[in-house]
Amino acid sequence: MDLLYRSTRGEKQQVTASQAIIKGLADDGGLYVPLSLPKLSVEPEALVGLPYQEVAYLVMKEFLTDFTEAELRACIKRAYDDKFDDQAIAPLVKRDGQYFLELFHGATIAFKDMALSILPHLLTTSLKKNHVDKEIVILTATSGDTGKAALAGFADVPGTSIIVFYPKGGVSPIQEKQMLTQKGQNTTVIGVEGNFDDCQTGVKKMFADVKLKEDLAAHGYQFSSANSINIGRLVPQVAYYAYAYACMRAQGELKSGQKMNVVVPTGNFGNILAAYYAKQMGIPIDQLICASNENRVLFDFFQSGCYDRNRDFILTSSPSMDILISSNLERLIYLIAGESTEKNAAMMAELQTKGSYTITAKMKEKLADFCGIYADESEVFGVIREIQERSGYVIDTHTAVAAAALKKYCDNTADQNPCVIISTASPYKFARSVMNAIDSKYDALEDFALIDELSRLSGVKVPKAIEEIRTAPILHHTVCAKEMMEDSVRNVLSIS
Ligand SMILES: *Cc1c(COP(=O)(O)O)cnc(C)c1O
């Protein structure tokens, strides 16, 4: 019997995992969730000592039950290979007396590689299984990180092409160069004269455009999205929590049966939801500490039970967490509402119309596994400096939000569980903020001088992802007005 998926908003139709991956979002706007959360088929102890790929297989096979063993293993093999600069794929390191799960050893040195390196393979396999013979066109709007990770994941994957829109002038110089130097016959990067919202609105409009859809189909194309709400991005993320547990046991940091806490720097709520799924599968996780930056919507939600996006949007040094609507939270709301699609849909409708909703006291009780904490900019910079001074280890600004949150947690509770800090980006990706936190004198250096200084200071070799863009040629030159996004897509695909 296959595990089936349903929409969090009540649409009747149930789909297989591969169909959910192809569709991304349900037609009623809901997110696909499994009818019941699966359990691991082996004891957590049996994971100790296994390579990452094997742990990933044991976790993912429980969610993607309509994939054959050969299909799933092939996807995993193609994703988690020497694109990663560490054989462990997601090494668990102990520095400064703390545990860090480093999720930044992939092609674009941020944790989105963990899912986006396998999504293209899951998607192409799903298409074959469902006899879809169209070429898939991935459309993505990016504020910087997702675009590059998706480009790297889909580059030269047969049967797909990818078009990324980013706000011209709205991303960092390094992020822009990372995207504009992207190789691959099937990749297109377009700068939009507008902000991120303009890019996102333009992409959403194209997804909803029936005429465009028909024209695409007539030319053998079909749109899809690499958005973080796709179940094909969520499921691969469950794997590294199982792997983190296995590493903690293997390294003697946890006793048999002892639980660990995880501290997750959170934006869209995908990463920490994967931790929750891992816990439900049977991985010995106790507390899930949800770390926010100054955009503390989630902190306030865990405090009061009210999710309220009506507030100023704050630009911080951890831009990938500057988010006011955490899309994946909907999957948790659905669960704590007793898997009621009706109650969930009502709250999401309120979020749409009023910008806020409040959960019931009974629902709030079910959030006992979570603890929301936020860190302001001075705490974030402080913790980067302290850890560097004490141990020489340099962490990025997003990871630092988690490290600062953990510090507050330890100050305010008597909890003795070992805590794993989820490290979501390489410090090289946010070198300017990181170096400024350590000493303001570095601000005088230009980008690549700063990179070299970071390497000297941390003793960590400059990653390939950064080294490459020093000299790589710019391959993408298109810039368009925000009203011209659809024309650009038609152009790229030669559809009149
Ligand atoms: C996307 C991202 C996050 C936030 O992860 P969510 O799954 O959206 O909560 C944190 N850190 C970095 C570096 C990211 O790129």
Side-chain angles (χ1 to χ4, degrees), residues 206-265:
M206 284 188 266
F207 275 123
D209 187 331
V210 178
K211 172 79 171 69
L212 181 60
K213 208 174 182 170
E214 284 169 6
D215 291 352
L216 279 166
H219 287 79
Y221 294 115
Q222 175 178 329
F223 280 145
S224 187
S225 122
N227 200 297
S228 84
I229 44 80
N230 193 311
I231 197 81
R233 276 186 64 180
L234 187 59
V235 168
Q237 295 180 176
V238 181
Y240 50 72
Y241 288 98
Y243 185 69
Y245 173 76
C247 291
M248 287 291 279
R249 286 282 299 126
Q251 296 173 23
E253 306 292 351
L254 277 179
K255 293 194 264 311
S256 175
Q258 191 183 8
K259 289 183 179 169
M260 62 183 194
N261 295 337
V262 294
V263 194
V264 188

Side-chain angles (χ1 to χ4, degrees), residues 114-134:
M114 298 303 297
L116 281 166
S117 51
I118 193 165
L119 180 70
H121 305 294
L122 296 176
L123 181 59
T124 48
T125 307
S126 298
L127 293 168
K128 267 189 222 127
K129 299 181 78 62
N130 290 280
H131 312 290
V132 178
D133 55 6
K134 298 213 165 43

Side-chain angles (χ1 to χ4, degrees), residues 347-368:
M347 287 181 187
M348 295 307 131
E350 271 191 70
L351 181 61
Q352 182 88 40
T353 51
K354 293 196 327 203
S356 69
Y357 61 85
T358 303
I359 60 172
T360 63
K362 202 165 148 225
M363 288 168 72
K364 194 158 181 290
E365 274 171 29
K366 294 191 193 160
L367 293 177

